[in-house]
Amino acid sequence: AQSVSQHNHHVILSEAASLELGCNYSYGGTVNLFWYVQYPGQHLQLLLKYFSGDPLVKGIKGFEAEFIKSKFSFNLRKPSVQWSDTAEYFCAVKNTGFQKLVFGTGTRLLVSP
Amino acid sequence: DVKVTQSSRYLVKRTGEKVFLECVQDMDHENMFWYRQDPGLGLRLIYFSYDVKMKEKGDIPEGYSVSREKKERFSLILESASTNQTSMYLCASSSNPGQFEEKLFFGSGTQLSVL
């Protein structure tokens, strides 16, 4: 069965630092990949997604993620974080042809001003 | 904007009670989902539905049931609540029936405490 690993459970950064959050999935084949974000007190929302084509995808608020098929990875990046990026970030994977979206355990990011 | 509304933000129930969590979406989505969110465990799928009166088990369906009598409403039922069901429950609906779960729209969640 598909599983998703987010190795960083808690990340603390200062404003303007660069961010990279790791995401690895276990099962190959054709996959659809997602990053969701939950800001404090708000509902989960889609940050970006990859279905096909260019493996470097850009999302909202300056975030981007790169799909590396050979490494089963879909890491999230942002060159310069802001205090408002403080949130919990979830990676999710769906195998094409399957109906379930599998989420990782999440990474809590704290950005200090 | 799509709105997914969960009836309660906080709920406190006693062990053994029957609990109903209600979810309504206003965008005519075919697909609806119930997840529970626990610290360190992420989101785990309980049940989902891809049509009225249709339901599929997710990864952790034990102790739960669901009902979808109308397209816009998806209810989660805890037949006999237990303390290990204390959790944040999230309802979601998805935008593209052809691309199952292409994008999920989430509700604000219901924090359920079972005492």
Side-chain angles (χ1 to χ4, degrees):
Chain A
Q2 182 68 267
S3 65
V4 180
S5 297
Q6 292 183 243
H7 306 292
N8 312 106
H9 299 293
H10 292 91
V11 173
I12 301 173
L13 295 172
S14 299
E15 274 194 316
S18 64
L19 170 71
E20 181 160 2
L21 300 182
C23 172
N24 289 90
Y25 59 96
S26 62
Y27 185 75
T30 305
V31 291
N32 305 139
L33 300 154
F34 307 79
W35 276 97
Y36 281 84
V37 61
Q38 189 171 32
Y39 297 103
Q42 296 188 25
H43 57 268
L44 273 155
Q45 56 187 287
L46 182 69
L47 198 56
L48 49 79
K49 62 185 179 183
Y50 171 81
F51 269 62
S52 62
D54 188 345
L56 183 64
V57 293
K58 295 191 184 298
I60 60 172
K61 303 188 180 187
F63 285 90
E64 64 179 31
E66 185 175 13
F67 170 47
I68 303 179
K69 190 172 183 178
S70 61
K71 295 185 177 180
F72 295 84
S73 71
F74 190 55
N75 292 354
L76 181 70
R77 300 195 293 248
K78 186 172 183 179
S80 176
V81 295
Q82 300 173 318
W83 175 79
S84 58
D85 294 323
T86 293
E88 190 161 17
Y89 294 81
F90 293 91
C91 181
V93 178
K94 183 179 82 72
N95 281 83
T96 303
F98 288 83
Q99 295 174 337
K100 291 191 299 188
L101 189 62
V102 180
F103 282 85
T105 53
T107 298
R108 286 183 184 266
L109 172 66
L110 175 63
V111 180
S112 57
Chain B
D1 263 0
V2 174
K3 206 156 191 179
V4 180
T5 304
Q6 294 183 231
S7 53
S8 305
R9 185 72 180 92
Y10 299 96
L11 212 52
V12 180
K13 296 292 181 181
R14 296 217 174 267
T15 303
E17 277 193 76
K18 190 169 186 176
V19 181
F20 292 87
L21 303 183
E22 305 287 346
C23 175
V24 177
Q25 50 95 1
D26 65 359
M27 280 300 290
D28 203 37
H29 288 168
E30 277 76 7
N31 312 313
M32 296 187 74
F33 309 84
W34 276 107
Y35 288 88
R36 63 177 282 177
Q37 182 180 8
D38 299 287
L41 297 177
L43 276 72
R44 293 178 292 168
L45 182 64
I46 304 171
Y47 267 98
F48 62 98
S49 168
Y50 49 88
D51 202 352
V52 175
K53 296 192 186 293
M54 305 301 289
K55 61 185 179 184
E56 293 279 348
K57 292 181 180 179
D59 297 315
I60 51 164
E62 297 79 18
Y64 304 94
S65 62
V66 290
S67 172
R68 193 156 180 214
E69 297 296 319
K70 293 185 179 182
K71 192 174 186 179
E72 67 272 17
R73 187 178 296 270
F74 192 36
S75 303
L76 180 69
I77 304 152
L78 286 66
E79 297 290 341
S80 177
S82 63
T83 54
N84 63 12
Q85 292 178 309
T86 291
S87 185
M88 172 67 80
Y89 290 88
L90 297 175
C91 176
S93 68
S94 72
S95 52
N96 280 359
Q99 295 264 12
F100 210 98
E101 296 177 282
E102 181 183 21
K103 177 178 177 178
L104 293 179
F105 293 85
F106 283 89
S108 299
T110 295
Q111 179 62 53
L112 173 66
S113 297
V114 183
L115 306 178

